[in-house]
Amino acid sequence: MQSDIGQHIRSGTLTSSGKMPDAVNFWMGEERAVTSLHKDPYENLYCVISGSKTFTLIPPTDRPFIPYKTYQAALYHEDQETRQWEVVEDHLTGLVPWIPVDPLKPDLELYPEYKHAGPITVTVNAGELLYLPSLWFHHVSQSHGCIAVNYWYDMEYDIKYNYFNLLDSLFSSPTSVEKERLCCVEGEATEDGDVTGS
């Protein structure tokens, strides 16, 4: 399989910075394997070896139009009697922020701000490489029997990172569940919702 990847990629260095990758990931799957919309703190070189992957990309500057909600963390657990997999809530991890909108079929009544986002769709075929910059939102689907390798390089925590965090802080508002959680952490809530002590 290494012969399917170019020498400059195989050597593991991102030629513009000379960095070695933090992780090299092997991906193999079918068309039912689809990611939800998310972002990563890595510069990403994505090499498709067989089949194709379709990326829906949204720049980090569109953060104001990307809705977040909090969800209970969960794990897959195999039931030893039935040998079936089930989803079990992970209360130790607690709540996690996630993007609920599907960029392929966005519910604009539920998430009207998403209509202002500017998604770009790119299909990467066998023998092609996609550079996916850090903090870009992306949703990924693939063809049956797709094989790919990607290289993650730690992002630079520079002005781009600071700008994104500014946008994120300006357009993130705590949900009622998060507010309740903050009350529990910072002090005791009274019956009328006021917080006392800390």
Side-chain angles (χ1 to χ4, degrees), residues 72-79 84-94:
Q72 178 61 53
L75 303 167
Y76 281 107
H77 172 75
E78 185 180 17
D79 184 300
Q84 297 292 313
W85 289 92
E86 59 188 1
V87 176
V88 178
E89 290 187 348
D90 176 9
H91 293 284
L92 291 175
T93 300

Short mmCIF file of all heavy atoms in Angstrom, two decimals, residues 72-79 84-94:
data_model
loop_
_atom_site.label_atom_id
_atom_site.label_comp_id
_atom_site.label_asym_id
_atom_site.label_seq_id
_atom_site.Cartn_x
_atom_site.Cartn_y
_atom_site.Cartn_z
N GLN A 72 -25.49 14.05 25.90
CA GLN A 72 -24.91 13.13 26.87
C GLN A 72 -23.90 12.24 26.14
O GLN A 72 -24.22 11.65 25.11
CB GLN A 72 -26.01 12.26 27.51
CG GLN A 72 -25.49 11.24 28.50
CD GLN A 72 -24.77 11.89 29.67
OE1 GLN A 72 -25.32 12.76 30.33
NE2 GLN A 72 -23.55 11.47 29.92
N ALA A 73 -22.69 12.15 26.66
CA ALA A 73 -21.68 11.25 26.08
C ALA A 73 -22.17 9.81 26.21
O ALA A 73 -22.91 9.47 27.14
CB ALA A 73 -20.35 11.43 26.79
N ALA A 74 -21.76 8.97 25.28
CA ALA A 74 -22.19 7.56 25.29
C ALA A 74 -21.09 6.68 24.73
O ALA A 74 -20.17 7.16 24.06
CB ALA A 74 -23.47 7.40 24.49
N LEU A 75 -21.18 5.40 25.02
CA LEU A 75 -20.22 4.40 24.56
C LEU A 75 -20.97 3.22 23.96
O LEU A 75 -22.10 2.94 24.35
CB LEU A 75 -19.37 3.89 25.73
CG LEU A 75 -18.58 4.91 26.53
CD1 LEU A 75 -18.07 4.27 27.82
CD2 LEU A 75 -17.43 5.43 25.70
N TYR A 76 -20.32 2.52 23.04
CA TYR A 76 -20.86 1.24 22.58
C TYR A 76 -20.47 0.17 23.58
O TYR A 76 -19.33 0.14 24.06
CB TYR A 76 -20.32 0.87 21.20
CG TYR A 76 -21.00 1.61 20.08
CD1 TYR A 76 -20.36 2.62 19.38
CD2 TYR A 76 -22.30 1.28 19.71
CE1 TYR A 76 -20.99 3.30 18.35
CE2 TYR A 76 -22.94 1.94 18.68
CZ TYR A 76 -22.28 2.95 18.01
OH TYR A 76 -22.90 3.61 17.00
N HIS A 77 -21.42 -0.70 23.89
CA HIS A 77 -21.16 -1.79 24.84
C HIS A 77 -21.78 -3.06 24.27
O HIS A 77 -22.93 -3.06 23.83
CB HIS A 77 -21.79 -1.46 26.20
CG HIS A 77 -21.74 -2.58 27.17
ND1 HIS A 77 -20.57 -2.95 27.81
CD2 HIS A 77 -22.70 -3.43 27.60
CE1 HIS A 77 -20.82 -3.98 28.60
NE2 HIS A 77 -22.10 -4.29 28.49
N GLU A 78 -21.01 -4.14 24.29
CA GLU A 78 -21.54 -5.42 23.79
C GLU A 78 -22.18 -6.18 24.94
O GLU A 78 -21.54 -6.46 25.95
CB GLU A 78 -20.42 -6.26 23.17
CG GLU A 78 -20.94 -7.54 22.55
CD GLU A 78 -19.85 -8.39 21.93
OE1 GLU A 78 -18.66 -8.16 22.25
OE2 GLU A 78 -20.18 -9.29 21.15
N ASP A 79 -23.47 -6.51 24.78
CA ASP A 79 -24.18 -7.31 25.77
C ASP A 79 -23.65 -8.74 25.68
O ASP A 79 -23.72 -9.37 24.61
CB ASP A 79 -25.69 -7.27 25.48
CG ASP A 79 -26.49 -8.01 26.54
OD1 ASP A 79 -26.27 -9.23 26.73
OD2 ASP A 79 -27.35 -7.36 27.17
N GLN A 84 -25.16 -8.52 21.23
CA GLN A 84 -25.60 -7.35 20.49
C GLN A 84 -24.91 -6.10 21.05
O GLN A 84 -24.66 -6.02 22.25
CB GLN A 84 -27.13 -7.17 20.59
CG GLN A 84 -27.92 -8.31 19.99
CD GLN A 84 -27.76 -8.35 18.48
OE1 GLN A 84 -27.87 -7.33 17.79
NE2 GLN A 84 -27.51 -9.54 17.94
N TRP A 85 -24.65 -5.15 20.18
CA TRP A 85 -24.07 -3.88 20.60
C TRP A 85 -25.18 -2.92 20.96
O TRP A 85 -26.21 -2.87 20.28
CB TRP A 85 -23.19 -3.29 19.50
CG TRP A 85 -21.93 -4.06 19.31
CD1 TRP A 85 -21.72 -5.09 18.44
CD2 TRP A 85 -20.71 -3.88 20.02
NE1 TRP A 85 -20.43 -5.55 18.57
CE2 TRP A 85 -19.79 -4.83 19.54
CE3 TRP A 85 -20.31 -3.01 21.03
CZ2 TRP A 85 -18.49 -4.93 20.01
CZ3 TRP A 85 -19.01 -3.10 21.50
CH2 TRP A 85 -18.11 -4.06 20.98
N GLU A 86 -24.98 -2.17 22.03
CA GLU A 86 -25.95 -1.16 22.45
C GLU A 86 -25.22 0.10 22.85
O GLU A 86 -24.04 0.08 23.16
CB GLU A 86 -26.79 -1.69 23.62
CG GLU A 86 -25.97 -2.08 24.83
CD GLU A 86 -26.77 -2.78 25.92
OE1 GLU A 86 -27.98 -2.99 25.74
OE2 GLU A 86 -26.18 -3.10 26.95
N VAL A 87 -25.95 1.21 22.82
CA VAL A 87 -25.38 2.50 23.23
C VAL A 87 -25.72 2.70 24.70
O VAL A 87 -26.88 2.60 25.11
CB VAL A 87 -25.96 3.65 22.38
CG1 VAL A 87 -25.44 4.99 22.87
CG2 VAL A 87 -25.63 3.44 20.91
N VAL A 88 -24.68 2.97 25.50
CA VAL A 88 -24.84 3.16 26.94
C VAL A 88 -24.34 4.56 27.28
O VAL A 88 -23.23 4.95 26.88
CB VAL A 88 -24.03 2.10 27.72
CG1 VAL A 88 -24.14 2.32 29.22
CG2 VAL A 88 -24.48 0.70 27.35
N GLU A 89 -25.15 5.32 28.02
CA GLU A 89 -24.74 6.67 28.40
C GLU A 89 -23.51 6.63 29.30
O GLU A 89 -23.40 5.77 30.17
CB GLU A 89 -25.89 7.40 29.11
CG GLU A 89 -27.01 7.74 28.16
CD GLU A 89 -28.09 8.60 28.81
OE1 GLU A 89 -28.09 8.75 30.05
OE2 GLU A 89 -28.92 9.12 28.06
N ASP A 90 -22.59 7.55 29.06
CA ASP A 90 -21.35 7.67 29.83
C ASP A 90 -21.46 8.90 30.74
O ASP A 90 -21.12 10.00 30.34
CB ASP A 90 -20.17 7.79 28.87
CG ASP A 90 -18.85 8.01 29.56
OD1 ASP A 90 -18.79 7.91 30.80
OD2 ASP A 90 -17.87 8.31 28.86
N HIS A 91 -21.95 8.68 31.95
CA HIS A 91 -22.19 9.81 32.87
C HIS A 91 -20.89 10.33 33.47
O HIS A 91 -20.87 11.45 33.97
CB HIS A 91 -23.18 9.40 33.95
CG HIS A 91 -24.55 9.15 33.39
ND1 HIS A 91 -25.39 10.18 33.02
CD2 HIS A 91 -25.20 8.00 33.07
CE1 HIS A 91 -26.50 9.68 32.53
NE2 HIS A 91 -26.42 8.37 32.55
N LEU A 92 -19.81 9.55 33.41
CA LEU A 92 -18.53 10.07 33.91
C LEU A 92 -18.01 11.19 33.02
O LEU A 92 -17.46 12.17 33.50
CB LEU A 92 -17.50 8.94 34.01
CG LEU A 92 -17.75 7.89 35.09
CD1 LEU A 92 -16.73 6.77 34.99
CD2 LEU A 92 -17.72 8.53 36.46
N THR A 93 -18.19 11.04 31.72
CA THR A 93 -17.76 12.08 30.79
C THR A 93 -18.73 13.26 30.82
O THR A 93 -18.32 14.41 30.71
CB THR A 93 -17.65 11.52 29.36
OG1 THR A 93 -16.69 10.46 29.37
CG2 THR A 93 -17.23 12.58 28.36
N GLY A 94 -20.01 12.97 30.98
CA GLY A 94 -21.00 14.04 31.06
C GLY A 94 -21.45 14.52 29.70
O GLY A 94 -21.55 13.74 28.75
#
